Structures are given as structure tokens and as C-alpha cells.
Amino acid sequence: MALVGLEELRAAQRRIAGVAVRTPLMPCPWAEDGNRRLWLKPENLQPTGAFKIRGAYNRLAALTEDERARGVVAQSSGNHAQAVAYAASLLGIRAVIVMPDTSPAVKVANTRAFGAEVLLVSPEERDDVPGELKRRHGYVWVPPYDDPHIIAGQGTVGLEIGEDAPDELDTVLVPVSGGGLISGTAAALKLTTPGVRVVGVEPELAADAQGSLRSGTRVVWPVADTYRTIADGLRTPTVGLLPFEHLTAYVDDIVTVTEEEIRDTVAVLARRGRLVAEPSGAVATAAYLHRAKEIGGRVCAAVVSGGNVEPALLAELLAWGDQA
């Protein structure tokens, strides 16, 4: 499979300009320990609350007129769902989104608010139903990560980090689910900012990507196992085929964090960073705070990938942080 190159990344950057926010790289003096420094890339500030708008808009904007007329179908636990719905609304395209019935209510409500038709199914059905709808109605399938346009769109995160980073930046921490974000980000950084290490981060309870990178073959976790983590956006049982090629080519390592560390970091980001992060969006920062020896590096950037968290859960995690 052909890897996404700099030409595709630059094209995506031009295409999404004015739709996706060019989020800042924020210094975090509260996270310095005398030896290390942290910068945050707050993708929770995007119009849909997560980085996914970058890839979704890049994919939909590249559709032909015939494809736009057919409409699109996607599946997601929430952030890709909202991004496709929002991009479709901007482009005048019908969108049908298949979501697990375990998805946070706030993500389901937001997806519907952007004008998409939402179908709730069991977690075991979410990968099969979109294909049935595509065959029955002719919709265009918009995958959450296993697509070069999606990867290129998400890779604009890496282009921006490379353009805004301090000269001393040596390590970039990126959440991993299906692999679209880390694939594009790693490709962008390795092609434009040589010498910077890219380290993926995922929950211990959904560590399929770490197993895949370290074994050299795609590892699949049972859905029931990945659904144990509070990080609902990182429950994908395996990385995609094209993302796996990017992981093996560009990613230096993948580390994991515990559920307790994820919970603690959501509270830290809210209190010290003044950022609302969903559990999935907090894992990269959690690695900086709790896995220093594993990730290495003295000047790190961490992607806060999203902030679509249920208000009740956020309140719970803030209260939990008080007691921790």
C-alpha cells in the first residue's frame, strides 16, 4: 500500500483551511519538572470538539458530484460521527451514521444536531451495518481511519506541530485508536521535522496497537475487552490496514496508560491546563505525566485529541481527582 506523502498532506491542509481550526501549540509551565517541558495541541477546540473534522472534511470535499448525490454512511462511537455529520452539512451531503448504543449521549445528540441520521446498534454490529446500508442504498462509505484522505487530513495536525514547535522539540505523543491520527501525524513529522520521535499512546485495556507495532503483525482484541476502558474513542479492536503500514514506517513506539492515570489526567487538564478533555483525549498527556521513563524526551508535545465528554462523567472525574 502506498503511504501518504507530503503532497497529499499539503493538499489536505489547503482543503480544510477555514473549516478546521488551526489549533495552537500551548506551553504548559505547570507540567515542567526541571528536566522536561510539555506543549499541548488542543484539538478539543475544533468545531466538532475533536481532530476528526480534519480527515472527514478532507474526504468529503474530495468526493465527485455523483458520490455527493448518493450520500455517505459512516460508523463511529462519536467523534468521527460528529465530524462526518458536520462536514456533510457544510457540503450539502446526506449523512447516515451508525453508532454503538454504548456511545456517550452527548456525542449522539451532537451528531443528530449537525443534521445526520443516526442508527444505534450493538457494538458487535457496528462494523457490519454500514456495509449493508451501502449495498442497499448506494451510500459512499467514509471510514474512520483506513483511508488515505482521512489519514492526510488528520496528518495536518503533524504539519502544524512541525511548523509551530520550538527548536528543541524531540518527542510527540499521539493517541491511538484505529490509527488515522497517528499515521498522518507521524508521516507529516517524519517528512518535515527529521529527528522528532513519535510515540503513540493507548489504554492498557485496549493495547492492540502496541501489540501490533511490537510484533510486526496486526493484533486484534475482542470487542468485549476493549470496551472495558473509559476511553470510549480508543476502543477499536485493531488498527487499520493502511494505518498499520504507517505505524511500522514512522512510529517509534507505543506506550500504554492505566485507567487511573487517564482519570487523573482529565482532572489535571481541566484544572491546570484549563482544557476540557474526554478520556480518549487525555491519554497522550497521561503518558507525559506518568510514563516519563518509557517515552523519553526532554521537550514533548501531546495531542489532546478531543473534548466531547459527558458532563456527568466530567464532574465525576473532577471529584475523583480531588480524592486521588
Side-chain angles (χ1 to χ4, degrees), residues 56-57 59-73 84-97 114-117 139-140 142:
Y57 190 84
R59 181 69 189 91
L60 266 62
L63 294 176
T64 65
E65 288 302 318
D66 175 68
E67 289 172 328
R68 293 189 186 198
R70 287 159 53 192
V72 298
V73 63
V84 172
Y86 180 63
S89 71
L90 294 178
L91 295 166
I93 300 171
R94 182 187 181 190
V96 178
I97 313 294
F114 288 131
E117 177 185 349
Y139 299 139
V140 176
V142 182

Side-chain angles (χ1 to χ4, degrees), residues 39-64:
W39 298 71
L40 293 179
K41 180 71 167 169
E43 287 295 291
N44 57 316
L45 302 181
Q46 291 294 346
T48 58
F51 73 95
K52 290 282 191 176
I53 184 57
R54 296 172 180 269
Y57 190 84
N58 190 50
R59 181 69 189 91
L60 266 62
L63 294 176
T64 65

Side-chain angles (χ1 to χ4, degrees), residues 256-317:
T256 63
V257 289
T258 68
E259 296 299 292
E260 180 176 294
E261 290 162 352
I262 296 171
R263 289 172 175 268
D264 171 72
T265 304
V266 170
V268 169
L269 284 169
R271 289 200 174 87
R272 304 301 304 279
R274 277 60 175 181
L275 293 174
V276 173
E278 61 190 278
S280 302
V283 297
T285 310
Y288 174 87
L289 296 175
H290 299 282
R291 291 287 185 267
K293 290 183 180 179
E294 292 180 56
I295 65 173
R298 293 176 58 85
V299 181
C300 300
V303 179
V304 180
S305 55
N308 292 311
V309 58
E310 291 278 12
L313 177 59
L314 179 60
E316 174 192 327
L317 296 179

Side-chain angles (χ1 to χ4, degrees), residues 11-227:
Q13 191 173 41
R14 293 189 295 271
R15 193 176 284 128
I16 69 171
V19 175
V21 174
R22 194 187 195 289
T23 55
L25 201 59
M26 298 170 49
C28 302
W30 51 268
E32 295 181 12
D33 60 8
N35 296 309
R36 301 183 306 144
R37 286 186 289 144
L38 174 68
W39 298 71
L40 293 179
K41 180 71 167 169
E43 287 295 291
N44 57 316
L45 302 181
Q46 291 294 346
T48 58
F51 73 95
K52 290 282 191 176
I53 184 57
R54 296 172 180 269
Y57 190 84
N58 190 50
R59 181 69 189 91
L60 266 62
L63 294 176
T64 65
E65 288 302 318
D66 175 68
E67 289 172 328
R68 293 189 186 198
R70 287 159 53 192
V72 298
V73 63
Q75 74 87 353
S76 164
S77 64
N79 286 334
H80 180 60
Q82 293 170 84
V84 172
Y86 180 63
S89 71
L90 294 178
L91 295 166
I93 300 171
R94 182 187 181 190
V96 178
I97 313 294
V98 177
M99 302 181 71
D101 54 19
T102 54
S103 300
V106 65
K107 294 183 178 182
V108 176
N110 289 346
T111 302
R112 286 180 169 142
F114 288 131
E117 177 185 349
V118 174
L119 299 178
L120 297 177
V121 302
S122 70
E124 293 76 15
E125 295 178 294
R126 76 174 195 172
D127 290 327
D128 299 325
V129 173
E132 295 174 9
L133 294 173
K134 177 184 175 182
R135 289 189 294 273
R136 191 184 312 159
H137 301 289
Y139 299 139
V140 176
W141 165 238
V142 182
Y145 46 82
D146 211 343
D147 179 277
H149 284 93
I150 297 290
I151 290 173
Q154 320 305 28
T156 59
V157 169
L159 290 179
E160 292 172 11
I161 291 174
E163 291 164 359
D164 296 345
D167 292 340
E168 319 90 81
L169 181 72
D170 55 41
T171 305
V172 176
L173 306 170
V174 187
V176 187
S177 182
L181 175 61
I182 194 168
S183 293
T185 299
L189 287 165
K190 295 295 184 177
L191 294 172
T192 64
T193 317
V196 172
R197 297 177 66 250
V198 179
V199 178
V201 188
E202 61 185 347
E204 282 187 354
L205 298 183
D208 58 282
Q210 184 188 66
S212 298
L213 182 65
R214 294 185 178 182
S215 69
T217 186
R218 289 169 69 237
V219 172
V220 180
W221 276 43
V223 170
D225 286 355
T226 63
Y227 268 69

